[in-house]
Amino acid sequence: TVAGDFTTSGGLLGASCLTFNGSDEYGYNSGTTWGFGDAWTVEMWFKTSQDSQMTLFDLHNDSTDDNRIRLLVKASDDYMYLQTYDNPGGTPTENTISAPIDVIDGKWHHVAATSSGTVLQLYIDGKLMNQTTATVDRGADPTMQLRFGRLHTSSAEYFNGAIDELRMWSAVRTQTEIRANMFKSGYANLSNNGALQAAYNFDEGTT
């Protein structure tokens, strides 16, 4: 589901991509389980030239930060950031890593974030930019709401740019797998696709 009078334009892959205006447009779902717990990969293509702090992806339970996964860019350094949270039964622990490369440059970039439950990794354009040892003990398969193009809990950090080929996997994708599939679209075209839990091609055209 999308909110706002959004448009799609020519995508990097496929017929179109999802374009956000940075003020009132975003995508969301009402909440579901996504088929993964500790081990996962989230990946997408994105493009922006807006020098602001903006949220691209926010998987949230709509109540607390338990089990949360978030991808955002920051104006302070123009880097991509991954934030993850565990499910402790109390105050969740935040773990954050960033990819030290300018991605707010008006060009298409591919981001892939992975977690094994003990190691976080962040790739840009198929290259491993950062990894850290971090215990992220999520629930086995929690019900979460997805927002892309906006911060989940408030009408803030709207994304001004384009997103394409958003995917979620219930496994840690290797660098080889990420590179092999980043320029492909469509379930049948993806190699080792058994762990694919969600894929959004954004090829629906203009709305």
Side-chain angles (χ1 to χ4, degrees):
T1 305
V2 294
D5 295 326
F6 80 99
T7 60
T8 56
S9 59
L12 182 70
L13 304 174
S16 61
C17 63
L18 197 57
T19 303
F20 301 95
N21 64 7
S23 61
D24 62 359
E25 297 170 351
Y26 64 100
Y28 67 95
N29 86 327
S30 57
T32 187
T33 56
W34 296 92
F36 60 86
D38 291 347
W40 49 265
T41 300
V42 174
E43 62 177 320
M44 72 180 79
W45 285 94
F46 69 97
K47 179 174 66 172
T48 184
S49 57
Q50 178 69 42
D51 196 21
S52 302
Q53 180 162 316
M54 300 177 289
T55 294
L56 287 79
F57 174 96
D58 201 352
L59 198 64
H60 193 279
N61 67 16
D62 206 34
S63 177
T64 70
D65 284 334
D66 287 4
N67 303 305
R68 187 180 188 185
I69 302 170
R70 181 182 175 214
L71 286 168
L72 68 153
V73 292
K74 292 187 178 183
S76 57
D77 50 23
D78 295 346
Y79 293 173
M80 174 68 69
Y81 284 76
L82 166 65
Q83 292 180 342
T84 63
Y85 298 80
D86 59 8
N87 182 36
T91 301
T93 300
E94 175 188 332
N95 291 282
T96 301
I97 61 172
S98 64
I101 185 174
D102 181 1
V103 294
I104 304 179
D105 58 2
K107 300 177 182 178
W108 281 106
H109 293 284
H110 184 270
V111 58
T114 78
S115 176
S116 65
T118 56
V119 176
L120 295 175
Q121 296 179 314
L122 193 56
Y123 296 82
I124 298 294
D125 299 332
K127 181 179 180 180
L128 180 61
M129 302 300 299
N130 199 358
Q131 72 174 28
T132 188
T133 300
T135 300
V136 186
D137 187 12
R138 300 178 76 247
D141 187 11
T143 297
M144 305 291 284
Q145 295 188 0
L146 172 63
R147 296 287 187 277
F148 47 93
R150 195 196 80 175
L151 187 67
H152 192 285
T153 52
S154 65
S155 297
E157 296 189 15
Y158 283 96
F159 183 64
N160 188 343
I163 292 175
D164 206 3
E165 298 293 334
L166 170 60
R167 301 169 189 156
M168 286 181 273
W169 307 78
S170 58
V172 177
R173 302 288 281 179
T174 66
Q175 186 173 49
T176 298
E177 290 173 326
I178 291 168
R179 289 179 172 180
N181 288 279
M182 57 192 285
F183 288 104
K184 296 178 180 179
S185 181
Y187 175 82
N189 297 321
L190 303 178
S191 59
N192 300 326
N193 58 18
L196 183 64
Q197 300 298 324
Y200 301 94
N201 300 326
F202 305 127
D203 284 342
E204 290 77 9
T206 301
T207 299

